[in-house]
Every structure is written in C-alpha cells, then in structure tokens.
C-alpha cells in the first residue's frame, strides 16, 4: 500500500475524541503575557502534563479556571522536527469542539430576525443541493444543529475514504463547506427528520451554507465580528480562511510505522463543522460565555444551545443541545464538546456546579503511543475535578 493510502486509512481511524461523548485572532506574532499557574491544593497539574509527554504524547496544553483554580500549562513539543517547545499560547485546529461557535452564530441571527431556525432548509438552499439529500424537504435548520435530521455524515464509512483521499491529493487549496458536502450527496438517510439522534457533521456544513446565504458572504466574517471580537477571543481565527491571523502547531498521526505531520493538510480546511483554530484559553472563554450564569450573551440566545426543554436524548446518560453535550456526572451538571482531527485532539468542559472550565489540546491522535497516555491524562484530570472540587 502506498504511503498516501496508508495516511488516508490512518486519518480515518484517528478521528476520535477522548471525552465523555462522541465528537466526533489576532496575529500570533506577539506572545501574550499569561498569569502564573495557581494549581489546586495537593494537585500538581504541571507534573501530570509532563507524565503525559513522557508516556508518548508529543505535546499538550491545558487550562483550568474556577474560583479555586487558575492553571495554564504546557509540556512537550509543538514540532517534533524542530523540537520547538509547546507553549500555552499556541493555536491548534479544534475540530468538532468548534461546532458551538457555528450554532451560536445561528442563534444570534435567529434572535435578530435574520433567520428562523425552525424554517425548512429549503428556505435558503437551492434545489441543486436539496434534490441530492434524502428528506431535505422536511428538515429544519435547528435539526441540522442538533443532529436529528438523519442526514448522511460525510465522515462516515462509505464516504470518508473519498473525503480524505481528496484532501490528501490536494492539500494546498482551501476546502470549504461546499467542497466537503459533495461527499454526502446522493447518500441514504439514517432516518426521517426528527425521529432520532445521529451525529452528522454534514448538518453543520449545510448550516454553514445557510449562514452564507443569509449573510450574503462567507460566515467567517460575521463569526469574527460577533464572536471572536465580541467575546474577546483574541487568539482565535476561522481555519483555512483567516490564515493571516495565526498559524497552527504541528499535529501527528502514524502511518506505515512512521509518525507524520498532518499540519499541511489541516491548515487549509475551513468548514462549519470544525471552524476554529484557537487557544485553550479562548476555547474555555467561548464555552463559559455560552453556559455560565454570568454569560455576557443574551439568555434568549444561549437557551437555544442548552435549555433543558430543547435538549435531545443521545443515550441514557447524555443529551445534546446545539453544538454542546450535557451530562450529569456525580451529581454535577457538565457541558462539553470535544474535537478530533487526524493529528489533533481537543477536550472542552464546563462544570456548572463549580464554575470550572477545562480545555486540553493534544497535538496527536489515532495511534496507541498517543491515544493511551492522552486518555490516561484526561481520566486523571477529570478525577481531580469531580472528586476534589
């Protein structure tokens, strides 16, 4: 098997998340001044980061913030070849954890009357697309965002091979929603809209195209003005389309018994199901803005994403809003959404009872030397959160 085909297969296998449910800026030329770490009593988070690196993870960044904890730390390297050390301000593609940004932008426009989430998607999308999506005549924008349309996921078996082959064959051109959507067209539906939950990245591609239609331009401009600038996410940008705002760190996956850098592929993908390049602090800021009691956002907006009467059942333990999972763990309300791209893993949590955000970046995925220590690290950190805070 050729190296390119091996990388394609490895990329498919490495789209994973370590979290509790499936996942799936301004210029970086100046280094921000960060607060000194203040770990929780009797917990050495920096040592835990070092253990993860010593166990096989190339690099890891973590931020934990609550009334009792203020810790930001990093360990390992941002690039294996240059041995550049991982820094807390480094930016990384955050995969599906960025879905909350797409959903939030839609909710904002809904409240402004620019669109209605409960309208059928045929309100905005052309028949050239609708005619190639089963049940498109009866699915709404809200259902796209809460994964209840039954629309085929372009990253599922049966189409993911073609998607990964396409982006590997042409890594330098920017891939947007309409490019990714072609791999979901003419595929069967999982079920009729509203009948069940099935996590489908395609729903967010369609939502991105709807945003473009409503705004009259690509939605990354509105996302920057309303979210990144509006919320103070100064080190976040839309992947692929705002590369002048920063640069992603290297990410590593294994193929043909070799560790390879996937940065050259993922720096040019700009899709609404995984839109953000960000820092751990900015991702914590975004999640906190949506779910905390002290949110700067209007409650009418955030309720679309997480109000209890709008959550849909994923399984016996998990519910989903718009771009956010909800679980009650050890009696604590937990909101989260991770992200996994080949070479990158993001974990992003908010524990309401202790007003705590946790965000972790790993610059690897999909092979045992990364996956096992990353999972062990997350388990250890989550234990400190649920047992000690």
């Amino acid at each position: 098997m050729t190296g390119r085909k091996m990388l394609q297969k490895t990329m498919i296998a490495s789209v994973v998340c370590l979290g509790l449910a499936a996942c799936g800026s301004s210029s970086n030329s100046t280094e921000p001044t960060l607060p000194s770490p203040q770990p929780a009593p009797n917990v050495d988070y920096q040592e835990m980061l070092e253990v993860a690196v010593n166990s096989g993870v190339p690099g890891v960044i973590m931020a934990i913030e609550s009334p009792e904890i203020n810790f930001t730390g990093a360990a390992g390297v941002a690039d294996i070849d240059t041995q550049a050390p991982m820094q807390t301000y480094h930016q990384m593609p955050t995969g599906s954890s960025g879905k909350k940004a797409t959903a939030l932008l839609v909710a904002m426009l809904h409240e402004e009357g620019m669109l209605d989430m409960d309208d059928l998607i045929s309100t905005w999308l052309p028949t050239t697309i609708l005619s190639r999506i089963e049940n498109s005549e009866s699915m709404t924008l809200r259902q796209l965002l809460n994964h209840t349309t039954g629309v085929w996921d372009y990253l599922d078996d049966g189409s993911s091979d073609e998607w990964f082959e396409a982006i590997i064959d042409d890594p330098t051109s920017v891939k947007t929603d309409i490019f990714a959507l072609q791999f979901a067209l003419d595929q069967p539906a999982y079920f009729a809209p509203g009948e069940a939950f099935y996590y489908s990245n395609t729903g967010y591609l369609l939502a991105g195209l709807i945003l473009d239609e409503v705004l009259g331009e690509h939605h990354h401009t509105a996302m920057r003005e309303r979210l990144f600038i509006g919320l103070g996410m100064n080190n976040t940008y839309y992947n692929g389309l705002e590369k002048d705002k920063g640069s992603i760190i290297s990410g590593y996956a294994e193929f043909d018994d070799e560790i390879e850098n996937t940065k050259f592929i993922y720096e040019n993908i700009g899709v609404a199901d995984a839109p953000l390049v960000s820092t751990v602090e900015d991702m914590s800021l975004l999640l906190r803005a949506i779910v905390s009691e002290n949110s700067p956002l209007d409650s009418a907006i955030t309720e679309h994403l997480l109000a209890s009467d709008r959550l849909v059942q994923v399984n016996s333990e998990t519910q989903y809003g718009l771009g956010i999972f909800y679980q009650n763990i050890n009696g604590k309300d937990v909101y989260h959404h991770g992200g996994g791209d080949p070479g990158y893993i993001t974990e992003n949590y908010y524990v309401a009872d202790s007003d705590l955000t946790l965000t972790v970046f790993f610059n690897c995925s999909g092979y045992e030397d990364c996956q096992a220590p990353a999972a062990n690290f997350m388990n250890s950190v989550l234990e400190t959160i649920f047992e000690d805070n």
Side-chain angles (χ1 to χ4, degrees):
M1 183 177 290
T2 66
R4 182 182 61 78
K5 290 296 287 183
M6 282 297 297
L7 178 57
Q8 173 190 336
K9 294 297 183 183
T10 302
M11 291 171 77
I12 295 167
S14 67
V15 179
V16 295
C17 285
L18 303 176
L20 303 170
C23 19
S25 144
S26 59
S27 173
N28 198 32
S29 60
T30 59
E31 300 179 2
T33 302
L34 299 173
S36 299
Q38 298 176 29
N42 304 318
V43 178
D44 191 336
Y45 287 118
Q46 187 62 44
E47 181 180 2
M48 295 169 71
L49 291 169
E50 300 292 345
V51 169
V53 169
N54 291 336
S55 300
V57 172
V60 57
I61 315 171
M62 180 170 68
I64 307 178
E65 181 183 355
S66 76
E68 289 75 34
I69 307 172
N70 183 4
F71 175 85
T72 306
V77 297
D79 186 284
I80 290 175
D81 291 334
T82 67
Q83 289 292 292
M86 188 72 89
Q87 304 289 349
T88 56
Y89 55 80
H90 275 151
Q91 297 165 303
M92 194 183 85
T94 64
S96 288
S97 64
K99 281 184 169 68
K100 64 178 72 72
T102 300
L104 179 57
L105 180 57
V106 171
M108 287 177 168
L109 299 183
H110 176 97
E111 288 303 312
E112 292 177 19
M114 294 185 66
L115 56 77
D116 188 329
M117 279 193 278
D118 296 306
D119 280 349
L120 298 174
I121 67 172
S122 57
T123 304
W124 306 282
L125 298 179
T127 55
T128 52
I129 291 175
L130 298 171
S131 63
R132 302 180 66 185
I133 299 174
E134 189 175 0
N135 301 324
S136 63
E137 74 283 354
S138 57
M139 59 181 64
T140 68
L141 175 53
R142 190 185 299 273
Q143 289 172 328
L144 293 178
L145 298 175
N146 66 17
H147 301 296
T148 61
T149 61
V151 66
W152 178 268
D153 181 6
Y154 77 103
L155 294 180
D156 257 7
D157 293 342
S159 55
S160 57
D161 280 18
E162 289 78 11
W163 156 253
F164 285 121
E165 184 172 3
I167 63 176
I168 292 168
D169 282 345
D170 177 22
T172 59
S173 67
V174 175
K175 320 298 188 305
T176 59
D177 295 318
I178 195 65
F179 178 88
L181 180 63
Q182 67 182 298
F183 303 97
L185 297 177
D186 304 316
Q187 296 283 359
Y190 302 114
F191 47 78
E195 286 190 353
F197 175 94
Y198 189 93
Y199 192 97
S200 175
N201 292 284
T202 303
Y204 277 72
L205 300 179
L206 293 168
L209 293 174
I210 291 171
L211 284 169
D212 296 348
E213 178 66 22
V214 170
L215 294 164
E217 62 181 351
H218 193 277
H219 59 273
H220 78 275
T221 301
M223 192 173 287
R224 165 153 300 281
E225 293 172 351
R226 294 166 180 264
L227 274 65
F228 308 159
I229 296 175
L231 295 176
M233 298 171 63
N234 298 321
N235 294 290
T236 299
Y237 65 91
Y238 201 107
N239 198 23
L241 298 173
E242 294 188 313
K243 290 188 291 184
D244 61 320
K245 305 295 183 182
S247 179
I248 69 174
I249 58 175
S250 296
Y252 296 95
E254 182 181 53
F255 76 97
D256 202 18
D257 297 323
E258 297 290 336
I259 304 299
E260 295 293 339
N261 191 343
T262 61
K263 173 182 177 178
F264 75 106
I265 297 169
Y266 275 88
E267 64 187 354
N268 290 309
I269 297 177
V271 286
D273 63 305
L276 304 185
V277 170
S278 192
T279 63
V280 290
E281 291 192 321
D282 272 10
M283 290 305 292
S284 289
L285 189 158
L286 175 60
L287 183 55
R288 181 179 290 274
I290 295 171
V291 299
S292 75
E293 291 184 355
N294 298 318
S295 171
L297 300 169
D298 190 295
S299 61
I301 295 173
T302 58
E303 284 176 1
H304 286 290
L305 277 69
L306 51 83
S308 59
D309 60 347
R310 289 173 172 161
L311 298 175
V312 297
Q313 207 68 35
V314 177
N315 54 43
S316 60
E317 299 178 347
T318 309
Q319 295 175 295
Y320 194 86
L322 305 183
I324 295 178
F325 288 97
Y326 165 77
Q327 288 178 268
N328 187 276
I329 303 173
N330 293 350
K332 298 184 178 184
D333 293 324
V334 182
Y335 300 88
H336 61 93
H337 203 311
D341 286 323
Y344 304 97
I345 301 170
T346 296
E347 298 288 351
N348 192 207
Y349 298 86
Y350 179 77
V351 183
D353 304 69
S354 49
D355 189 27
L356 181 146
T357 52
L358 164 67
T359 303
V360 183
F361 288 175
F362 301 95
N363 63 341
C364 63
S365 70
Y367 59 99
E368 184 63 18
D369 285 348
C370 163
Q371 218 61 42
N376 291 337
F377 174 85
M378 288 306 305
N379 288 336
S380 297
V381 172
L382 291 171
E383 284 178 3
T384 71
I385 290 172
F386 291 114
E387 292 180 4
D388 297 336
N389 296 292

